Amino acid sequence: MKLLTCQERKGEKDRKFVEALARGLDLLRAFSQQGGVLGNQDLARITGLPKPTISRLTYTLTQLGYLTYSKHLEKYQLDVGVLALGYAYTSNLNVRKIAKPYMEKMATQANVSVGLTIRERLSMIYVENCRNEKTQALRMDVGSRLPLATSSSGRAFLAGLSDHERQQILSLMEQYSGDHWPAWQKSISKAIDEYQEKGFCTSLGDWSKDVNAVAVPLKLLDGRVMAINCGGPKYLISDEMIMQSLGPQLVHVVRDIEATGV
């Protein structure tokens, strides 16, 4: 899926909008799309920006410590400056600190991986993940991404939005999903019905054919919506376990967290 550029997101000109800054951030985001190391040609393909612009941006970001250049590979990779920004965000995310004890308790008792996720464009990103180290629960590190359309977290996030907010994101998804859209639209509609009936959304082999997961939207007092998920490999977490046990447990966990007034 092509990265959304700054102009595609803005839709129209805004005199207060600094396009050069937005382009630099778009370039950094490209590494989360592809990972590893990327050359100027790769970055131009992903972002849609002209190669001369890419060259100036990579040079500037390297000088500022956000990228590092490998002379051997003739490509760039993220440098420690990006890590510092990410750490500053997660360390100051109050809901993460409040939710963690509840998540750890469920992870230990149910032998599953329990994650806190937030939307970033058309993905959900882990900002916390708890698991029992003695089990074979799914390991997803902070910063790992899940697709909005097929993951339980993405579906729960969408289900937790107002109709207007959801439609805005669905319109964006339709624009960039290509031939996947009919199937995605159907599964999202089903997930919303599931949430209204059961209080949770599932992904039974949809994100990964070997993984079952369930998620519940976490609605914060400031109006933001996040999602808490849990799951694991299918040979350990059956469909029945998701529907009969883990889903209802997770609903109670989220209610307890929301009750703290986060």
Side-chain angles (χ1 to χ4, degrees), residues 4-7 9-10 17-29 49 57 121:
L4 278 65
T5 67
C6 56
Q7 282 305 303
R9 289 197 309 277
K10 292 298 291 181
F17 187 72
V18 182
E19 187 171 334
L21 173 60
R23 287 181 170 183
L25 295 175
D26 277 340
L27 189 146
L28 290 177
R29 289 173 187 267
L49 296 173
L57 290 173
R121 299 195 182 183

Side-chain angles (χ1 to χ4, degrees), residues 11-135:
E12 57 184 32
K13 292 289 184 179
D14 183 340
R15 289 187 297 121
K16 295 181 179 180
F17 187 72
V18 182
E19 187 171 334
L21 173 60
R23 287 181 170 183
L25 295 175
D26 277 340
L27 189 146
L28 290 177
R29 289 173 187 267
F31 287 88
S32 67
Q33 290 284 105
Q34 299 290 325
V37 294
L38 297 172
N40 285 344
Q41 186 172 348
D42 302 316
L43 292 166
R45 172 179 52 81
I46 296 168
T47 63
L49 296 173
K51 290 182 182 179
T53 299
I54 293 291
S55 296
R56 292 194 298 271
L57 290 173
T58 51
Y59 174 81
T60 302
L61 291 168
T62 300
Q63 294 298 307
L64 293 174
Y66 294 108
L67 293 180
T68 183
Y69 182 71
S70 169
K71 292 183 179 180
H72 174 67
L73 298 174
E74 297 185 344
K75 292 187 177 184
Y76 297 87
Q77 59 185 353
L78 295 177
D79 205 356
V80 69
V82 176
L83 175 62
L85 289 176
Y87 177 77
Y89 172 75
T90 56
S91 64
N92 288 292
L93 193 62
N94 191 47
V95 63
R96 178 173 175 254
K97 302 172 186 176
I98 294 173
K100 188 172 182 177
Y102 297 93
M103 295 165 57
E104 287 179 330
K105 183 177 180 180
M106 181 173 178
T108 300
Q109 292 179 343
N111 289 330
V112 293
S113 172
V114 181
L116 175 64
T117 62
I118 190 168
R119 182 180 79 94
E120 201 279 327
R121 299 195 182 183
L122 300 183
S123 300
M124 299 296 290
I125 294 183
Y126 277 85
V127 293
E128 186 59 84
N129 190 42
C130 303
R131 64 190 296 273
N132 186 337
E133 294 296 333
K134 296 181 180 179
T135 71

